Amino acid sequence: MSNRLIIVKEDLQRRRGIALLLVLLVMAVASILAFAMLSASALQVTASSNGITAAAARAQAESGIHLAAYYLANPTAAPVSAGNWGPTVVSFSPSQPSVTMPGNVTVTVSSVSTTGQFYTASSAGPYYTVTAVGSVPSATDGLPITRTIVAQLQAISSYQITSAGAFNGLATLNSGVTFAGSVVSSQTITANGGTVTGALTSNLTASPAPTAGTTTDYSQPYYYQGVLYYPVNIGNTISTGQSFAPTPGNPLGIFYCSGNLSVTATLNISGTLYVKGGTLTDGSNITIGPESSAQLNYNLPALVVDQSLKMSGSNQSLTATGVVCLGTGITALLPNSSTKVTINGALLITTAGGANAINNSSDQVNVTFNSSYTNVLNLVASGTSAIKIISWSE
């Protein structure tokens, strides 16, 4: 009997020991779970706070990119700390927008690069690499959280054209001359039987067209999407039918000649034709217009002639889709020759003087204003600067 009592007592003690261990284990697990929940909650608060701080740092960096774009377009407004604003390394930390946002931003503008879209190699490089670093102190430990944005900016020299015709000289618009749109001039325009569907404005105080000698030299090599390409010289005489279009070596389809260009056979240009320093004499039929979407995207002019366009012979024609920029205007070598000039875009005459921009003997000149072609990039060496963001990484 006593032995059985001893066994039962030992069994009870063993069970009590196991129960105690189970209780202690449950309490330990509960404590671990409670600590984990508290830690997770604290981490969530920290992560949420840091997320807000990181967003503020990114906003600071983004504001730095846009601030650099503003200063590039308006260099006189740049801070004194920026020094000589231009294609050199410039670093500055503006006081704005930190007044309204926590933290600060440091902006670095590096030297001009040769990557980007389109510009002539002889012009001042309009591409800048801008690095903006936004920094905001963390609310939890005070250590800075930074975000960096690197963007490439293109300074575009664009020439805005708002009229079907813009002349820096006299113009007498005889019958057969039609402008579907407005016509403006720095001198007198006489509508002598010609038709102008828009306003006719004479004697402007400023030159409405590019001034002589300021148009871009389109015979120069050009950069397109970071690669250097070369316009194609088509020679000074076209005596057999010719067609020119973009090629891998000349993707924007820029064609030129140096001096006078005489065309006595059909000529088709898919792109831009530039007659450098001379006159274009059309003794046949010339058609010029964009072929590719790239040409339309960069709004290159259809035709630029440093001197005049002369229509030679009977029943000759020139059809251009885009902007036509002529030095001294349009003339016909034979009176009543049934020549025809058709322009879908705008006609610009650069030279000021006493001669009529459109000679009386030209039978038909029809110009239709088309805004799709009249924001021409880099038509002149200096123009209204616009800043375009062409790459963005963060």
Side-chain angles (χ1 to χ4, degrees), residues 44-294:
Q44 185 176 7
V45 172
T46 301
S48 176
S49 176
N50 287 344
I52 295 173
T53 304
R58 186 196 177 280
Q60 286 278 14
E62 184 174 353
S63 71
I65 298 294
H66 293 292
L67 188 62
Y70 172 77
Y71 286 148
L72 286 169
N74 303 275
T76 58
V80 176
S81 61
N84 295 322
W85 192 262
T88 56
V89 176
V90 176
S91 182
F92 61 96
S93 298
S95 59
Q96 294 286 356
S98 59
V99 172
T100 56
M101 232 189 328
N104 58 76
V105 58
T106 298
V107 183
T108 301
V109 183
S110 71
S111 52
V112 176
S113 70
T114 58
T115 59
Q117 305 298 322
F118 166 78
Y119 66 94
T120 57
S122 62
S123 64
Y127 293 91
Y128 302 86
T129 299
V130 179
T131 303
V133 180
S135 178
V136 179
S138 171
T140 55
D141 56 15
L143 296 176
I145 293 178
T146 62
R147 289 294 181 268
T148 301
I149 297 176
V150 179
Q152 189 179 66
L153 307 184
Q154 177 187 15
I156 302 172
S157 178
S158 61
Y159 194 87
Q160 300 288 336
I161 303 166
T162 58
S163 302
F167 311 141
N168 292 341
L170 299 173
T172 300
L173 309 182
N174 292 328
S175 60
V177 177
T178 301
F179 282 87
S182 61
V183 177
V184 295
S185 178
S186 60
Q187 297 186 36
T188 302
I189 305 175
T190 303
N192 186 30
T195 301
V196 178
T197 63
L200 191 64
T201 306
S202 298
N203 302 314
L204 294 174
T205 56
S207 299
T211 56
T214 63
T215 53
T216 295
D217 184 353
Y218 287 100
S219 68
Q220 296 297 309
Y222 63 91
Y223 285 102
Y224 171 64
Q225 295 184 342
V227 180
L228 185 66
Y229 295 103
Y230 295 84
V232 173
N233 189 335
I234 63 173
N236 297 95
T237 303
I238 303 294
S239 56
T240 59
Q242 298 282 340
S243 293
F244 296 95
T247 62
N250 182 23
L252 293 184
I254 302 176
F255 305 93
Y256 76 98
C257 80
S258 295
N260 297 326
L261 173 60
S262 175
V263 178
T264 57
T266 300
L267 173 63
N268 295 308
I269 298 284
S270 295
T272 295
L273 174 61
Y274 174 45
V275 181
K276 180 178 180 180
T279 291
L280 170 59
T281 301
D282 181 4
S284 184
N285 300 288
I286 301 175
T287 302
I288 307 171
E291 178 188 69
S292 66
S293 58

Side-chain angles (χ1 to χ4, degrees), residues 354-369:
N356 283 326
I358 300 178
N359 189 281
N360 295 352
S361 60
S362 292
D363 286 348
Q364 293 186 51
V365 176
N366 299 312
V367 181
T368 301
F369 179 73

Side-chain angles (χ1 to χ4, degrees), residues 260-352:
N260 297 326
L261 173 60
S262 175
V263 178
T264 57
T266 300
L267 173 63
N268 295 308
I269 298 284
S270 295
T272 295
L273 174 61
Y274 174 45
V275 181
K276 180 178 180 180
T279 291
L280 170 59
T281 301
D282 181 4
S284 184
N285 300 288
I286 301 175
T287 302
I288 307 171
E291 178 188 69
S292 66
S293 58
Q295 292 168 324
L296 288 172
N297 191 27
Y298 297 107
N299 285 9
L300 296 176
L303 174 64
V304 178
V305 182
D306 285 345
Q307 297 299 320
S308 64
L309 167 63
K310 293 183 177 180
M311 304 303 294
S312 172
S314 299
N315 301 314
Q316 313 308 331
S317 68
L318 181 139
T319 303
T321 301
V323 171
V324 174
C325 185
L326 307 175
T328 56
I330 303 172
T331 63
L333 298 184
L334 295 176
N336 304 315
S337 57
S338 299
T339 60
K340 186 174 183 179
V341 176
T342 303
I343 299 171
N344 177 23
L347 173 62
L348 311 178
I349 310 295
T350 65
T351 302

